[in-house]
Amino acid sequence: MLIKRMTVQLSGELLARHTALFVRQACSFQSDIFLAKDGKCVSGKSIMKVMALAVKKGDEITLLTNGVDEHAAACTLEEFLLTKQR
């Protein structure tokens, strides 16, 4: 299991468009993927659960990946969360 703590750099919140893109990327991996914020941990492959976290720029989150492609998943999703997207 890989655990990465980071400060989100997305412009705006991880809602709607950004969440859909994040979940699409997460679902492309076989590994289990979780996001944790403020004591809540949810599946990174569930659009509704990720939206419920209401992640926004500057929030401290933890990305957890576990499985056969956990390294690739962690790198890809970390890059997504740390990139200022429009």
Side-chain angles (χ1 to χ4, degrees), residues 2-83:
L2 294 177
I3 300 171
K4 296 189 175 224
R5 290 175 181 81
M6 66 192 81
T7 302
V8 175
Q9 296 300 315
L10 288 172
S11 58
E13 299 180 356
L14 188 59
L15 296 175
R17 180 177 164 266
H18 287 145
T19 301
L21 294 172
F22 178 88
V23 170
R24 182 178 300 159
Q25 285 188 338
C27 287
S28 72
F29 296 100
Q30 292 179 12
S31 294
D32 294 324
I33 297 166
F34 298 95
L35 281 179
K37 176 188 161 201
D38 298 333
K40 295 179 185 174
C41 186
V42 301
S43 170
K45 295 183 178 186
S46 168
I47 194 165
M48 296 306 289
K49 290 180 181 180
V50 173
M51 285 182 68
L53 283 182
V55 175
K56 60 186 179 301
K57 183 178 179 178
D59 283 350
E60 295 287 330
I61 64 162
T62 303
L63 173 67
L64 300 96
T65 56
N66 186 36
V68 295
D69 54 0
E70 64 188 24
H71 291 283
C75 289
T76 299
L77 297 172
E78 179 180 27
E79 181 180 335
F80 179 87
L81 293 168
L82 295 178
T83 302

